[in-house]
Amino acid sequence: MSTENSKYDKMLDELLAVSSQNLPKVNETLLRKAFAFGVEAHKHDLRASGEPYFTHPFEVAMIVAEEFPLDDTTIVATLLHDVAEDTDFNINIISKEFGKEVADIVDGVTKISGIFRGQEITQAENYRKLLLSMIKDVRVILVKFADRLHNMRTLEFVSPDKQRRIAQETLEIYAPFAHRFGLGKVKWELEDLAFKYLNKEAYEELARKIKAKRKERESYIKKFADPITKKLNEYELNFDLSGRPKHLYSVYRKMVRRNKPFEEIYDLFAIRIILDTDDRNDCYTTLGIVNQLYLPVPDRFKDYISIPKTNNYQSIHTTVVGPDGRLVEVQIRTKQMHEVAEKGVAAHWRYKETKTATDKELETWVNWIRDIFENASRDDQRKELLESFKLNLYQDEIYVFTPKGELRRLPVGSTPVDFAFEIHSKVGYHCIGAKVDGKIIPLDTQLNSGDQVEIITSKNQHPNKNWIKFVKTHKAKNAIRRWINKEEDEIIKKGKELWEKRVKKQKLTFNQTDLLKLVHNLKFDNTRQFFKAIAQNTVNLEEVLSASKDKEVKEQSAELKFDKFADIARGDIGGVLVDGKKSGIKYSYAKCCNPIPGDPVIGYITVGEGIKIHRKTCTNLVNLSTTDASKLFPVQWPEGEESLFVAGLTVKGEDRPGILNDISHSIVTYQNTNIKSININTSDSMFDGSVTVYVNNLDHLNRLIERLKKLNGVFTVERFESA
Ligand code: MN
């Protein structure tokens, strides 16, 4: 135990030393506490290598301190990153002991580990997005990169199956991810390690060939570089010149992509000159020196200093003809540029396709991160920027799995119903329940990234209109609406039929305007709603109809005054012809339809009142005739009748100032027509009026009607009828 303790002491000292060297500030007490906590939490666990488990979090923390020295909080979190997942200590305990910030980072790392477990990687780009969507703090990514790097370095101890899976995942997810974050060094190491496990033969062959060439290579580079070194010293430039290490995987990829043998790819020698200067002009001076000494190959020159790469990589690349006619690539950059290339989290997340707002967000955010790396000494700024790390990356999207492990992208807040419609509209229509990670959940539950969702369907299930309230995708919304409308159409149809049947039974008539008025009075938005209410029995049809009947009676009694007047007015006229002759038979005009000359008319024999003259279209007449058709009597208007009759009109339209005046003006200016009365009521910016006028005949009346209809704001003009 004591030897183990002294081993741990050594490790702790090492970590503290690297941390205080690379970080502006280290909370040593907290770091020591985390270290001890980690040792204790993992004390019963061993790595696959047989070493105590804590060597892993320790090594990962060392990588963080060396490669991504952001702050001490990250180091503390790294030491604890596997505690919540693998030991009896949960996130709450970590939060209590080390604060919420540390706990949030540990929680993020734990969740990421959970996503990939047991999943085949089929849509790498989606997985990368999934990762991003789950990450609220950049430090989670950095810890995860370091964790993955150490796991890759120690991959030899796990089973071949697991080796393949982890290596594949690393190559397809983590390495491109590292590249996009500008973590060049980590990317190369991850790629080489993955290559080693995915294609062992090719890897070993390449490694062997490179090793065999090493001596030759080194001596050639020395021969090439010596004159450059001499010149640079003359110019008093501080620099570091080295043969550029070749990464196996990049050599291999070039061989495959260009279909060329190892020798051709690898014989392109490369050196890198890193200048210890803040002046980029020194890079161009150096370029001049190199070009003086060796002949440049014209089309191989690239100036990434003037025009940096999209991930902010800056360097000059030139290829020259070296001794023995061999081509040598020379990279020239400043120390700061080199830092950015190697470990700046400086990549822009760019897509070949479209650049969305979210990508912009990432770009901004990545720029902050780069600032932090570049301004490591400015502590205040660092702190402020760390606050901004609560990011919004892809947080408007979640990624969930189908039972087969396929990823589906959905908007944040999506529910199992959204997911169901995303799979297929049939699945959506018959969706009855859902399971997340094997547990049944309500259909309105909001899904989270990484959830595995299974939809339970039933042939008899149909969409519920309440689903509209919680679904998020347009797809689901539209599908549910379509369904509801279809269902509603049938209900409305039923309601309409019921209505028409009742109206007919009660011998009432409703034209469109009357119906709209009624619907409006009953506070329905439209007739569809009214009919729906009828079908669903939420409106009392009997009440509605008897109320409108009462109203009709009232309207009729109002008309009685008019009728009285009409009777008096008609007293002057010659009267109708019965059987083509004026006869002495007592007659009067029916009050229900007020016929005027021109109207087709018919007589009806009454008891005590002689013949009543009705319009042929009078609805009362229809009823009367069904009871006793023998009482009907043909009558005609006499020709050349010059007398005046009174007729009534209803006028409806949009209320506006001057409408009454316009109506009366329009009437009186037509053949000196006299108005008997005008009455207009307004409500809800609509007006509803009745006008009684003196007319000669039907033709006169019809022309008046046409005139009024042309008035601005007038919607309908109808002859006044009592039924
Ligand atoms: Mn780990």
Side-chain angles (χ1 to χ4, degrees):
M1 199 65 193
S2 67
T3 52
E4 203 150 275
N5 280 348
S6 76
K7 206 175 92 195
Y8 281 135
D9 286 346
K10 246 184 167 169
M11 284 157 65
L12 180 57
D13 288 344
E14 204 182 334
L15 183 62
L16 282 168
V18 177
S19 298
S20 48
Q21 193 191 325
N22 291 345
L23 297 168
K25 165 183 83 67
V26 177
N27 182 341
E28 202 182 308
T29 319
L30 196 70
L31 209 145
R32 283 180 182 279
K33 186 179 166 187
F35 191 95
F37 191 95
V39 170
E40 177 64 22
H42 291 293
K43 69 178 174 190
H44 300 302
D45 309 323
L46 293 176
R47 293 216 89 203
S49 63
E51 284 181 294
Y53 192 88
F54 187 71
T55 54
H56 166 68
F58 164 75
E59 290 295 347
V60 179
M62 285 296 287
I63 292 171
V64 170
E66 276 165 358
E67 303 294 339
F68 327 114
L70 200 58
D71 63 358
D72 51 0
T73 308
T74 316
I75 310 280
V76 168
T78 309
L79 288 170
L80 305 169
H81 81 269
D82 279 332
V83 165
E85 193 181 351
D86 298 339
T87 76
D88 298 333
F89 300 95
N90 61 25
I91 285 292
N92 295 335
I93 296 169
I94 293 172
S95 182
K96 221 178 101 195
E97 295 291 325
F98 299 94
K100 194 174 180 305
E101 213 178 340
V102 170
D104 282 349
I105 298 172
V106 174
D107 195 36
V109 176
T110 308
K111 278 191 181 134
I112 291 173
S113 312
I115 306 170
F116 296 102
R117 197 161 296 128
Q119 302 289 353
E120 275 295 321
I121 307 295
T122 50
Q123 299 149 289
E125 185 59 26
N126 276 343
Y127 274 87
R128 288 197 287 273
K129 283 190 186 175
L130 163 65
L131 265 186
L132 268 184
S133 77
M134 294 184 67
I135 293 160
K136 293 187 180 66
D137 190 323
V138 68
R139 291 171 292 184
V140 174
I141 306 175
L142 298 182
V143 176
K144 196 61 207 171
F145 278 138
D147 180 41
R148 176 51 55 120
L149 187 55
H150 186 245
N151 283 335
M152 286 301 294
R153 284 177 182 170
T154 55
L155 202 60
E156 61 190 295
F157 301 105
V158 305
S159 71
D161 263 9
K162 200 172 173 187
Q163 280 177 350
R164 269 202 88 75
R165 187 173 65 75
I166 302 240
Q168 190 80 31
E169 200 179 279
T170 300
L171 196 62
E172 288 185 10
I173 313 247
Y174 287 92
F177 210 55
H179 174 68
R180 278 172 170 163
F181 276 77
L183 301 165
K185 207 174 156 195
V186 172
K187 179 208 161 201
W188 289 320
E189 192 177 347
L190 287 175
E191 278 182 349
D192 275 3
L193 287 165
F195 176 41
K196 181 175 160 185
Y197 289 98
L198 288 172
N199 198 341
K200 222 173 184 95
E201 271 174 38
Y203 176 89
E204 277 167 359
E205 197 190 327
L206 256 188
R208 204 179 56 242
K209 280 180 176 169
I210 287 171
K211 205 178 161 195
K213 290 250 178 191
R214 208 175 125 195
K215 273 246 150 60
E216 184 199 327
R217 219 181 144 73
E218 277 170 0
S219 75
Y220 182 82
I221 284 185
K222 191 172 179 306
K223 199 158 117 191
F224 175 82
D226 277 350
I228 298 174
T229 307
K230 211 177 139 212
K231 271 274 183 206
L232 288 173
N233 284 331
E234 276 172 32
Y235 278 79
E236 292 183 334
L237 288 166
N238 290 323
F239 64 94
D240 180 36
L241 191 151
S242 59
R244 186 152 61 90
K246 283 271 184 181
H247 300 280
L248 274 78
Y249 186 64
S250 71
V251 172
Y252 176 72
R253 215 164 36 189
K254 271 185 191 156
M255 285 165 58
V256 172
R257 202 164 47 210
R258 297 185 192 164
N259 195 23
K260 285 192 170 160
F262 165 78
E263 285 69 23
E264 245 174 88
I265 299 290
Y266 201 66
D267 277 1
L268 180 71
F269 288 86
I271 66 157
R272 184 179 288 150
I273 303 167
I274 297 161
L275 295 154
D276 191 3
T277 176
D278 289 331
D279 186 359
R280 58 158 71 176
N281 285 324
D282 289 344
C283 296
Y284 296 102
T285 306
T286 307
L287 175 69
I289 290 168
V290 173
N291 285 349
Q292 253 174 16
L293 292 165
Y294 301 107
L295 193 67
V297 180
D299 58 345
R300 296 287 288 274
F301 174 75
K302 294 229 168 64
D303 181 1
Y304 294 120
I305 291 178
S306 302
I307 304 163
K309 280 194 184 183
T310 52
N311 63 2
N312 283 334
Y313 174 87
Q314 283 189 301
S315 190
I316 287 172
H317 293 189
T318 185
T319 300
V320 296
V321 184
D324 314 324
R326 299 174 94 162
L327 296 185
V328 181
E329 192 189 58
V330 183
Q331 296 185 349
I332 304 162
R333 55 177 80 151
T334 67
K335 214 171 174 178
Q336 199 200 1
M337 292 171 191
H338 185 60
E339 281 282 300
V340 171
E342 291 274 280
K343 52 168 113 170
V345 187
H348 292 215
W349 187 281
R350 277 184 198 278
Y351 290 102
K352 282 169 200 108
E353 313 95 61
T354 55
K355 199 167 162 56
T356 66
T358 325
D359 299 330
K360 269 229 170 73
E361 279 167 31
L362 181 80
E363 210 172 295
T364 315
W365 169 71
V366 156
N367 285 333
W368 288 336
I369 301 162
R370 206 178 65 248
D371 280 352
I372 284 169
F373 277 98
E374 288 170 2
N375 302 307
S377 55
R378 287 184 234 160
D379 201 39
D380 284 350
Q381 197 182 355
R382 168 191 290 255
K383 215 170 174 184
E384 194 181 296
L385 286 168
L386 273 177
E387 280 306 305
S388 324
F389 273 168
K390 308 295 166 207
L391 25 135
N392 257 333
L393 276 183
Y394 291 97
Q395 301 218 346
D396 47 350
E397 286 177 351
I398 57 164
Y399 294 81
V400 295
F401 292 101
T402 67
K404 283 180 188 160
E406 280 167 33
L407 265 181
R408 296 286 170 146
R409 187 175 65 183
L410 292 169
V412 156
S414 287
T415 62
V417 177
D418 293 294
F419 177 82
F421 279 104
E422 190 61 33
I423 300 292
H424 197 279
S425 56
K426 268 188 194 158
V427 179
Y429 281 132
H430 300 299
C431 157
I432 193 167
K435 279 184 190 173
V436 163
D437 298 332
K439 261 192 289 184
I440 298 243
I441 55 155
L443 285 176
D444 62 353
T445 309
Q446 297 202 346
L447 298 172
N448 294 308
S449 261
D451 283 351
Q452 184 164 55
V453 189
E454 188 187 340
I455 297 297
I456 306 158
T457 57
S458 158
K459 269 186 190 163
N460 301 322
Q461 172 75 0
H462 296 300
N464 182 318
K465 68 172 183 232
N466 289 324
W467 289 0
I468 276 286
K469 290 178 196 155
F470 60 72
V471 294
K472 280 284 175 306
T473 59
H474 295 298
K475 212 177 198 175
K477 265 191 189 137
N478 290 339
I480 297 164
R481 271 206 200 105
R482 260 201 311 277
W483 173 267
I484 292 173
N485 285 343
K486 203 178 128 207
E487 210 187 21
E488 212 178 55
D489 281 350
E490 278 161 26
I491 295 171
I492 287 163
K493 204 175 140 211
K494 217 173 94 190
K496 196 175 176 203
E497 282 167 6
L498 244 133
W499 164 256
E500 281 165 355
K501 224 163 110 187
R502 286 298 174 80
V503 167
K504 204 172 169 189
K505 203 174 163 193
Q506 304 225 11
K507 298 187 176 106
L508 291 163
T509 54
F510 277 85
N511 61 26
Q512 196 59 22
T513 320
D514 297 335
L515 180 63
L516 279 171
K517 209 166 154 186
L518 175 72
V519 163
H520 187 79
N521 285 341
L522 291 169
K523 307 279 179 232
F524 289 103
D525 284 348
N526 49 44
T527 48
R528 280 173 69 87
Q529 279 195 10
F530 175 60
F531 290 141
K532 196 171 143 190
I534 293 170
Q536 292 170 338
N537 223 356
T538 53
V539 64
N540 190 330
L541 203 49
E542 298 303 327
E543 240 169 55
V544 168
L545 285 173
S546 70
S548 62
K549 222 175 184 179
D550 287 349
K551 200 159 162 259
E552 251 173 46
V553 171
K554 250 192 230 158
E555 272 173 7
Q556 251 172 348
S557 67
E559 281 162 29
L560 283 179
K561 279 180 199 159
F562 156 78
D563 287 340
K564 217 168 222 164
F565 171 82
D567 274 347
I568 298 160
R570 280 173 195 139
D572 311 3
I573 63 161
V576 292
L577 302 173
V578 177
D579 279 342
K581 285 177 244 161
K582 283 205 176 184
S583 68
I585 299 170
K586 189 185 170 193
Y587 66 88
S588 60
Y589 296 99
K591 288 166 184 175
C592 46
C593 53
N594 296 304
I596 57 171
D599 282 331
V601 283
I602 199 157
Y604 181 80
I605 302 163
T606 62
V607 181
E609 283 183 280
I611 298 171
K612 279 260 178 205
I613 311 296
H614 287 268
R615 279 158 63 185
K616 274 189 175 167
T617 53
C618 176
T619 46
N620 270 347
L621 191 68
V622 176
N623 296 332
L624 293 171
S625 64
T626 52
T627 49
D628 197 347
S630 64
K631 289 183 179 170
L632 290 175
F633 212 87
V635 293
Q636 279 177 298
W637 294 102
E639 266 174 63
E641 183 64 65
E642 297 274 312
S643 310
L644 289 172
F645 287 77
V646 170
L649 298 171
T650 57
V651 187
K652 288 177 188 175
E654 194 178 10
D655 188 27
R656 62 171 170 85
I659 186 76
L660 182 67
N661 204 32
D662 285 358
I663 290 170
S664 51
H665 183 78
S666 177
I667 294 169
V668 297
T669 54
Y670 182 71
Q671 291 182 2
N672 293 318
T673 306
N674 284 316
I675 298 169
K676 173 60 193 158
S677 70
I678 275 198
N679 185 21
I680 283 189
N681 298 310
T682 60
S683 69
D684 292 337
S685 77
M686 299 293 286
F687 77 82
D688 183 343
S690 61
V691 188
T692 52
V693 289
Y694 293 100
V695 292
N696 296 112
N697 50 40
L698 186 63
D699 191 41
H700 185 180
L701 180 68
N702 285 341
R703 268 181 265 166
L704 266 184
I705 289 172
E706 288 314 307
R707 235 171 120 82
L708 290 175
K709 274 184 179 169
K710 282 178 189 146
L711 286 177
N712 187 20
V714 170
F715 295 161
T716 61
V717 183
E718 278 168 1
R719 184 148 169 212
F720 215 67
E721 294 185 46
S722 58

